Amino acid sequence: MFTLSAVRLLRLELRRCTMMWMVPLALLAFWLDTYRGSMALPPLWSSRTLILRRGAALDDFAPFVVGAAAWVGGRDRRRGIGEQVDITPLPRWAGRLATWAATAGWALGAYLACVGFLYGAIAWQGAAGRPLWWPVVVGAVALAAFSALGFAAGVLIPSRFTAPLAAIVTALVLRQTLRSGSGGRYALLSPVTSPAYSQAPPRADAGVFHPYLPDLSLTQLLFFGGLTVAALGVLGVQAVCGGPLARRLAAAVVAVGLASSATGTALVGTARVEANGVVVPALHDAADDRPLAYTPVCGGSAIRVCLNPVYRAYLPTVSAALDPLLREVAGLPGAPVRVDQVALSGQHAPLATATVSGTPPVVRLALDIGYDGAVWIGPGPSGKAPRDRCCTSQQMWTSVPRLAAEVLPPVAGVVVDHLVGHTDPAQQAVSDGLLRAVGIPLGTLAVYSRTDGTLAALLPRPGTPAYAAGGRFAALSAADRHAWLTAHLAGLRDGSVALEQLP
């Protein structure tokens, strides 16, 4: 009987729920923030889910959900009908749970519909890679926790100011967790992260080179699931909710929820941030440490450039942007024989990094294909960002000139330094000449010399003999430069070639 009454109440609440009127506002916020931002990124699952994995969708929904839940939770007391409702045959705890379920149902339905539409649009456009589901589940459980906490606040503080204050506090708390890097490892529990301040921001290549690590997601599920259960248990501990047995049951539910949240907090305290994500030892599966097997796709003429097949669409532009450098060094003694893409290293990776290792030498190239769209792409020669250097991520990685301006300089600096060195004026002059011959503007070199230690060591100071010699070396024809380097590169590397001997 009680079950049938609760179901009828749930159906009634679904038809008159306040959250129903908040859904359009949440949908608008999602479209303006999460959807538009995601679709500006390259058509890759790992890229277009980047903003969602940072908690943007939850940030869009949470204030509206908390405010609506708090308003509904305090509705009966606020209207002065609390006593009439308390004496109905349906236990008060069951009635409150049914009312909360209607609010949470509208919120979760709208949230999952938005995420489903986003994932459908990504799939319809033929995005490469594989969808990531753990962030969707974490967002849904966190949204349920926010609705339960808001509802409990409305029940305990039945004031007309509770709902707006709860919504404002939720928005401020989310903003603070987004912008604050304090809190140590416990800040990892936050469902909202910032690429600038978070200890472990979502990676643009998640699930591409290594399996997606679910450790942090499982810990967040324990934490927010526990908060949801505890908040719902609080709804049944008041005297109006039934006899002692019912209140003890509610208290036990609160205890279980708090224990779950405490377990999640304790687990995240043992977490460590590694190259592939956050590892929680008690939940970690060693199989997730093994890289995913794949057959690279290769292009280029002088030296082969090989990328992960997920990034197949960007192989032509990356190869064309690196081609001036690779043509310049191809065939020289000790020159790289191939360029291989590798996973991003570190949590705050730059746009492009490279290392040279192995015998024969191979360039290990890490590319951040999937950073936030509509951002500036590095400072100009005067330290400012010119308007023509601002673009979305998709525009960036489909434009050879932009890649040549932003990706080529740091890669060229590493390759030239490996090939020539920079310990004496002759090496610096030849390195400078090669970089100029590749077509890297002097202003760009000056910028990277301030931000990249390798390029800073490579560049001779303007006005010095090495700087003048570098200009003369760059003015030679490509064939003359190649012939001279083939004959003298070994001596240049061991320091037996003097500055005066340069052509």
Side-chain angles (χ1 to χ4, degrees), residues 5 155 222 375 456:
S5 299
V155 168
L222 278 173
V375 296

Side-chain angles (χ1 to χ4, degrees), residues 74-148:
R75 180 185 58 200
D76 296 337
R77 299 291 176 183
R78 195 171 58 250
R79 294 177 178 177
I81 60 173
E83 293 182 358
Q84 292 92 322
V85 174
D86 292 341
I87 62 175
T88 56
L90 182 67
R92 199 69 218 103
W93 190 22
R96 289 174 176 177
L97 290 179
T99 304
W100 167 81
T103 303
W106 272 104
L108 291 175
Y111 169 80
L112 293 176
C114 287
V115 174
F117 182 80
L118 173 63
Y119 272 44
I122 297 173
W124 182 74
Q125 294 185 0
R130 64 190 70 184
L132 303 175
W133 298 107
W134 281 109
V136 179
V137 178
V138 171
V141 174
L143 200 62
F146 278 114
S147 67

Side-chain angles (χ1 to χ4, degrees), residues 341-356:
Q341 185 188 15
V342 296
L344 294 171
S345 60
Q347 299 299 326
H348 302 281
L351 195 63
T353 57
T355 59
V356 182

Side-chain angles (χ1 to χ4, degrees), residues 339-420:
V339 178
D340 284 343
Q341 185 188 15
V342 296
L344 294 171
S345 60
Q347 299 299 326
H348 302 281
L351 195 63
T353 57
T355 59
V356 182
S357 61
T359 305
V362 175
V363 179
R364 316 290 179 181
L365 178 64
L367 301 173
D368 186 5
I369 304 177
Y371 67 99
D372 279 307
V375 296
W376 59 273
I377 313 296
S382 62
K384 299 181 180 179
R387 184 172 301 175
D388 62 353
R389 297 184 70 181
C390 181
C391 61
T392 66
S393 181
Q394 176 66 1
Q395 293 169 338
M396 168 73 181
W397 291 100
T398 56
S399 169
V400 174
R402 291 189 185 277
L403 287 184
E406 305 298 339
V407 173
L408 181 59
V411 177
V414 171
V415 173
V416 170
D417 182 52
H418 167 81
L419 192 64
V420 178

Side-chain angles (χ1 to χ4, degrees), residues 107-425:
L108 291 175
Y111 169 80
L112 293 176
C114 287
V115 174
F117 182 80
L118 173 63
Y119 272 44
I122 297 173
W124 182 74
Q125 294 185 0
R130 64 190 70 184
L132 303 175
W133 298 107
W134 281 109
V136 179
V137 178
V138 171
V141 174
L143 200 62
F146 278 114
S147 67
L149 291 171
F151 192 88
V155 168
L156 299 177
I157 312 174
S159 168
R160 68 182 61 197
F161 298 107
T162 301
L165 286 176
I168 292 172
V169 168
T170 300
L172 291 177
V173 168
L174 291 177
R175 290 292 99 187
Q176 181 62 25
T177 58
L178 185 66
R179 298 178 181 275
S180 175
S182 61
R185 285 173 291 190
Y186 299 102
L188 294 172
L189 287 172
S190 172
V192 179
T193 61
S194 166
Y197 301 104
S198 176
Q199 301 176 57
R203 296 164 56 90
D205 61 353
V208 175
F209 294 93
H210 293 83
Y212 184 82
L213 293 184
D215 301 19
L216 181 59
S217 297
L218 291 171
T219 306
Q220 291 172 323
L221 290 177
L222 278 173
F223 179 76
F224 287 107
L227 287 182
T228 305
V229 173
L232 297 180
V234 167
L235 302 179
V237 297
Q238 293 178 309
V240 297
C241 295
L245 182 60
R247 294 201 301 273
R248 290 193 189 99
L249 178 61
V253 171
V254 173
V256 170
L258 293 178
S260 177
S261 294
T263 301
T265 304
L267 287 174
V268 85
T270 66
R272 60 180 185 270
V273 180
E274 296 188 353
N276 299 327
V278 178
V279 172
V280 179
L283 303 175
H284 186 63
D285 185 355
D288 292 333
D289 295 331
R290 292 195 292 267
L292 296 173
Y294 65 90
T295 301
V297 291
C298 300
S301 54
I303 295 176
R304 302 292 282 173
V305 178
C306 298
L307 303 183
N308 188 293
V310 169
Y311 303 107
R312 182 191 306 270
Y314 304 100
L315 178 61
T317 51
V318 173
S319 300
L322 297 179
D323 188 62
L325 168 68
L326 302 181
R327 281 191 287 105
E328 195 70 34
V329 303
L332 294 176
V337 298
R338 193 174 66 255
V339 178
D340 284 343
Q341 185 188 15
V342 296
L344 294 171
S345 60
Q347 299 299 326
H348 302 281
L351 195 63
T353 57
T355 59
V356 182
S357 61
T359 305
V362 175
V363 179
R364 316 290 179 181
L365 178 64
L367 301 173
D368 186 5
I369 304 177
Y371 67 99
D372 279 307
V375 296
W376 59 273
I377 313 296
S382 62
K384 299 181 180 179
R387 184 172 301 175
D388 62 353
R389 297 184 70 181
C390 181
C391 61
T392 66
S393 181
Q394 176 66 1
Q395 293 169 338
M396 168 73 181
W397 291 100
T398 56
S399 169
V400 174
R402 291 189 185 277
L403 287 184
E406 305 298 339
V407 173
L408 181 59
V411 177
V414 171
V415 173
V416 170
D417 182 52
H418 167 81
L419 192 64
V420 178
H422 59 267
T423 57
D424 60 45

